[in-house]
Amino acid sequence: EGTVNQSSNSNSQTYPNLSTTSGTKGCVLVVDDNIINLKVAVKQLEKLGFSSEVAMNGLDAVETVKKKRDIISLVLMDLAMPTMDGFEATKLIRSYEQQQVQSQEQSHLPIIAMTANVMREELDRCLKCGMDGYLTKPVPIKELTEVL
């Protein structure tokens, strides 16, 4: 499998080339530091007719949203990641989004948490930082379909 560097950040990692462009229903940014979770999510999205972009930490997710917001219709965000977690990334995306909304450039970008932790406090924290919902890993394709 080839690799592609998806960030201009000096701390950027080399990512497996998982992004797809064949989807006709929209593009989903999948953010997870676990390569297996990324592969599973991308394949599920592909089966459902969506293309995807991938990022392996929150910082790269924020950069990807800033660069490709015009094509990204939804974000699936892991919570616990190196460099920047999903909570902080969501806060930064919401801040960026507010700037864009004020200039009438973009609308609300749905961000859905993907987490193995189903404790109520964690789920409340997701909603408080600006996420729109959550899915429990491993994500059944039926639940993913409902969110999309």
Side-chain angles (χ1 to χ4, degrees), residues 27-146:
C27 182
V28 177
L29 173 60
V30 182
V31 188
D32 200 312
D33 61 321
N34 182 301
I35 188 69
I36 293 170
N37 291 342
L38 282 174
K39 286 181 179 181
V40 168
V42 167
K43 283 294 179 195
Q44 286 178 324
L45 290 165
E46 206 170 27
K47 285 180 183 178
L48 296 171
F50 290 85
S51 61
S52 62
E53 290 286 330
V54 299
M56 293 185 79
N57 64 60
L59 182 59
D60 287 341
V62 173
E63 290 179 5
T64 300
V65 168
K66 287 180 178 180
K67 290 177 188 172
K68 299 183 177 187
R69 175 59 184 98
D70 58 322
I71 65 165
I72 296 171
S73 52
L74 184 130
V75 178
L76 295 175
M77 181 80 73
D78 185 24
L79 300 179
M81 296 175 287
T83 310
M84 181 185 290
D85 66 25
F87 300 107
E88 187 63 27
T90 297
K91 289 176 188 174
L92 290 174
I93 290 169
R94 292 295 180 231
S95 175
Y96 170 75
E97 185 177 69
Q98 280 299 113
Q99 295 167 6
Q100 300 306 304
V101 168
Q102 288 174 358
S103 64
Q104 303 293 320
E105 291 180 31
Q106 297 292 338
S107 59
H108 179 78
L109 176 63
I111 301 175
I112 308 299
M114 293 190 306
T115 179
N117 185 353
V118 292
M119 293 173 39
R120 186 74 219 164
E121 300 81 31
E122 188 90 341
L123 303 177
D124 289 342
R125 191 174 167 209
C126 290
L127 299 176
K128 284 179 184 171
C129 79
M131 293 183 185
D132 298 285
Y134 56 86
L135 293 167
T136 304
K137 290 193 243 179
V139 179
I141 198 158
K142 181 181 181 215
E143 287 183 30
L144 182 60
T145 303
E146 290 171 9

